[in-house]
Amino acid sequence: MVGASLAGLSAARALRAQGFDGQLTVIGDEAQRPYDRPPLSKEFLCGNVSEADLALESDDDDLQADWRLGVSATGLDSRCGAIELADGTRIDADGVVIATGSRARRWPGSADMGGVHVIRTVEDARALRADLVPGAQLVVIGAGFIGAEVASTARKLGLDVTVVEAAPTPLQMQLGGWLGGVVAGAHAANGTKLICGVGVAGLVGEKRALRAPGSVGRVTGVDLADGRHLPADVVVVGIGGMPNIDWLHGSGLELGNGVLCGTNGQTALPNVVAVGDCAAWLDPTTNAHHRVEHWTGALERPAAAVAALLSGGRQEEAAVKAPYFWSDQYGSRIQFAGIARPDDEITIEDGSCEERCLLATYRRDGLLVAVLGIDQPRLFTRWRRQLVPAAAAV
């Protein structure tokens, strides 16, 4: 098991639940035991939950696993099934589950600039939390899930927040422009300045004479592509993630935007499957490989991949649930299931855009392909059940 976050833990649990009683080794590049990531941009960031509260393992977990934490995998030798580790050791394996996740994209050249943050790990969240001082000016680059949740948390903590989004609306790729505009209204209603349709030209930092020539100290602002300058004490970069697949080059696996897999996580190697943020599973409804970077996918999909691994690919493909995510912003819950396209037919089934409390459906050729709920949890659950599982939709 290469990867010790939610997807890796879920796969380990599935292996034992499906009868695997052999030796199980779990490799993780972070030193921490598996922990929950969604609270990092919300409850943990504002201090409402502790690191202990993030733990994913339960008291009755008995995986009988050999945990190798704090060391990363550097290679997969497909000739003998061995995993090569950064400390020079090799672990032989009859089967491999790849669950190495993704890493946050950083702004180019900002690695040594103080006050510039991404949020992916608990260490990232700790560092950002220390900078969220009431009255400080925060600029968030990207109005996706992470960016919006950080903006919401920062407003609660008393910061002056500006969000910059290159697309015309927040979450345009996921929700479409019309309903992305509804989400935009929540920012304005809660005192967050939202600037859409303009990119970031660069970050500005203070010069430090004692450092190397040309180096910068702490961030002081953000320059926009249209010439505007935004003062900033803190900057959060929320521009997506990159799959952790560099260590797999030369392994014989097909790589693209993730490890390219079949509909149940099967790879080009018969004894290797991939799950979680690093895995691009084939979606039969679109005939394209798609990375599902959401908590529910990392929880549910490993069981199907493990079944394929244990059966040697002989087991009939399972019907995988449509992708699902939720996001808590400004006291509201946004829930979305399925995969939408720009030309889908959108219908408001209940509620209204003006009140930002609604249930919307997306249809393609008359078929329900996605559902959006804003503060409509019960109705959303009812409509979500009507989505056709991916493997059954063709």
Side-chain angles (χ1 to χ4, degrees):
M1 193 74 54
V2 190
S5 194
L6 176 60
L9 177 63
S10 298
R13 286 170 170 164
L15 277 166
R16 294 307 192 202
Q18 294 180 30
F20 177 72
D21 59 2
Q23 182 177 347
L24 175 60
T25 302
V26 183
I27 301 163
D29 60 354
E30 293 186 69
Q32 289 92 344
R33 303 285 290 196
Y35 62 89
D36 210 12
R37 297 185 190 275
L40 296 182
S41 57
K42 296 170 286 193
E43 297 95 337
F44 181 81
L45 194 59
C46 65
N48 289 343
V49 301
S50 67
E51 288 188 38
D53 296 323
L54 300 177
L56 285 171
E57 294 171 277
S58 59
D59 293 338
D60 58 356
D61 270 327
D62 185 18
L63 298 176
Q64 299 179 344
D66 176 17
W67 293 82
R68 305 285 185 94
L69 300 179
V71 59
S72 58
T74 57
L76 168 61
D77 187 342
S78 58
R79 295 168 300 178
C80 59
I83 303 296
E84 300 165 354
L85 303 184
D87 62 7
T89 61
R90 288 168 61 92
I91 299 176
D92 294 327
D94 299 307
V96 176
V97 178
I98 298 171
T100 44
S102 64
R103 61 190 182 277
R105 293 181 183 271
R106 296 183 179 274
W107 193 261
S110 67
D112 295 327
M113 187 179 290
V116 180
H117 300 268
V118 295
I119 185 162
R120 171 69 184 175
T121 68
V122 69
E123 289 87 354
D124 294 335
R126 280 196 221 108
L128 175 57
R129 187 164 64 181
D131 269 351
L132 295 184
V133 179
Q137 293 179 301
L138 167 67
V139 174
V140 179
I141 303 174
F145 312 116
I146 294 295
E149 290 171 0
V150 169
S152 173
T153 301
R155 284 296 299 147
K156 186 186 301 183
L157 293 174
L159 280 78
D160 181 349
V161 181
T162 301
V163 177
V164 181
E165 170 57 53
T169 68
L171 300 175
Q172 177 151 338
M173 286 185 61
Q174 294 83 3
L175 308 184
W178 177 26
L179 296 179
V182 175
V183 174
H187 289 288
N190 287 276
T192 296
K193 294 182 284 293
L194 177 64
I195 301 174
C196 288
V198 59
V200 171
L203 307 185
V204 179
E206 60 185 3
K207 301 292 184 181
R208 286 193 176 179
L210 297 180
R211 296 175 61 134
S215 67
V216 294
R218 188 173 179 87
V219 69
T220 58
V222 175
D223 287 335
L224 302 185
D226 62 4
R228 280 180 285 178
H229 174 79
L230 305 176
D233 302 304
V234 188
V235 172
V236 172
V237 181
I239 53 176
M242 302 171 61
N244 290 323
I245 58 173
D246 295 348
W247 67 283
L248 293 169
H249 287 291
S251 65
L253 293 174
E254 295 182 60
L255 305 177
N257 182 22
V259 181
L260 302 187
C261 305
T263 56
N264 287 139
Q266 315 95 315
T267 73
L269 301 177
N271 64 332
V272 179
V273 296
V275 298
D277 290 6
C278 70
W281 286 27
L282 181 66
D283 186 333
T285 64
T286 61
N287 200 33
H289 290 91
H290 181 69
R291 284 199 303 126
V292 176
E293 299 178 84
H294 305 304
W295 189 92
T296 307
L299 178 70
E300 296 176 345
R301 292 190 169 204
V306 163
L309 179 65
L310 293 178
S311 69
R314 296 184 300 274
Q315 180 166 316
E316 184 177 346
E317 293 181 359
V320 177
K321 291 181 181 179
Y324 164 73
F325 71 80
W326 80 91
S327 180
D328 296 318
Q329 304 175 18
Y330 304 109
S332 290
R333 170 152 290 197
I334 300 171
Q335 295 173 283
F336 188 87
I339 300 177
R341 291 179 179 175
D343 57 349
D344 289 341
E345 178 186 354
I346 301 175
T347 304
I348 305 299
E349 305 286 352
D350 196 275
S352 71
C353 296
E354 292 72 24
E355 295 179 358
R356 290 192 301 279
C357 179
L358 59 88
L359 189 291
T361 55
Y362 297 69
R363 289 180 173 84
R364 190 178 311 142
D365 299 325
L367 179 69
L368 182 68
V369 294
V371 180
L372 166 68
I374 301 178
D375 287 338
Q376 293 276 9
R378 291 185 179 179
L379 198 55
F380 175 84
T381 300
R382 191 184 313 157
W383 277 94
R384 183 189 176 194
R385 293 195 188 106
Q386 300 181 43
L387 288 172
V388 179
V394 292

